[in-house]
Amino acid sequence: MPSSHPLDRLQAGDALVVVDVQRDFCPGGALPVPKGDLIIPELNRWLAAAHERGIPIYASRDWHPPEHPSFQSQGGIWPEHCVQDTAGAAFHPDLELPAGAIHIAKGTRLDRDQYSAFDETGLAEHLRARGVRRVWIGGLAEDVCVRATALDARRNGFEAHVILPATRALTAAGAEAARADLQAAGVILEGE
Ligand code: VGL
Ligand code: ZN
């Protein structure tokens, strides 16, 4: 690990937020992000470093009820994915989440989708209560839930860094648009 690696900057006042690294968002899943599983070794390095330094770790899951309004069968735009308690909704088995990681369920509402890990989850309040000022964000998908989570981090007053080698987009055009939106909102894009 070169000493210039950004994970060397993880310190007190930081948190690591891992978004939706679930089977359904990886190759072979119901809504696969191309090469989505390739981010896992990088995420595991961040998880290990955060765990060693006592940095709080949050891991969200897209956690939809059956007949969620985002599903095409219900008039939504996505194939059925991440249905609560199914194999596809599980964290990817290679993701090395330490025992102390806090799990966040999102996308549970029946009236609308919730892309952001901050959306009615209490995450902002929890971070503030722990003295967190800066969040490091990775996971899936860069152009959907990572984007929404990072934008909400800024709206809630946190310094926000998206770890580019630890995220992947559904589409290349989506990634380009997401990065522009993130930079415009003051999110720092790290690495690559
Ligand atoms: C996501 C599409 C639908 C994501 C969730 O986690 O990025 N994308 N639901
Ligand atoms: Zn979803």
Side-chain angles (χ1 to χ4, degrees):
M1 192 63 52
S3 60
S4 60
H5 196 287
L7 66 73
D8 292 336
R9 284 154 45 207
L10 265 184
Q11 60 184 34
D14 288 354
L16 180 61
V17 179
V18 177
V19 178
D20 299 3
V21 181
Q22 294 164 269
R23 285 178 183 270
D24 271 346
F25 293 126
C26 291
L31 179 41
V33 176
K35 301 184 179 176
D37 55 331
L38 297 187
I39 67 172
I40 294 174
E42 176 73 3
L43 276 172
N44 285 342
R45 286 189 278 276
W46 283 84
L47 288 163
H51 185 57
E52 269 167 33
R53 291 171 213 172
I55 304 298
I57 296 167
Y58 297 82
S60 69
R61 265 180 300 193
D62 212 31
W63 197 248
H64 296 315
E67 303 178 17
H68 187 255
S70 79
F71 298 164
Q72 284 154 355
S73 61
Q74 309 299 315
I77 61 172
W78 304 113
E80 189 170 297
H81 63 281
C82 297
V83 174
Q84 294 170 5
D85 297 311
T86 61
F91 288 116
H92 191 287
D94 295 342
L95 187 69
E96 293 167 1
L97 282 178
I102 295 168
H103 297 187
I104 300 170
K106 64 181 191 54
T108 55
R109 291 184 62 108
L110 284 165
D111 57 339
R112 64 169 179 85
D113 210 350
Q114 294 153 287
Y115 288 153
S116 162
F118 285 90
D119 191 348
E120 296 188 324
T121 61
L123 176 57
E125 295 73 12
H126 206 271
L127 290 170
R128 279 186 209 112
R130 293 183 73 159
V132 171
R133 294 177 302 277
R134 175 167 79 168
V135 293
W136 298 82
I137 303 168
L140 301 171
E142 181 181 7
D143 44 350
V144 187
C145 289
V146 169
R147 172 186 177 280
T149 299
L151 292 176
D152 264 357
R154 295 291 301 136
R155 283 186 198 110
N156 282 284
F158 298 99
E159 183 179 322
H161 296 243
V162 167
I163 309 160
L164 294 179
T167 188
R168 289 263 179 179
L170 280 164
T171 69
E176 202 178 321
R179 289 179 191 192
D181 292 348
L182 291 169
Q183 281 183 312
V187 175
I188 297 156
L189 305 179
E190 287 288 346
E192 232 170 29

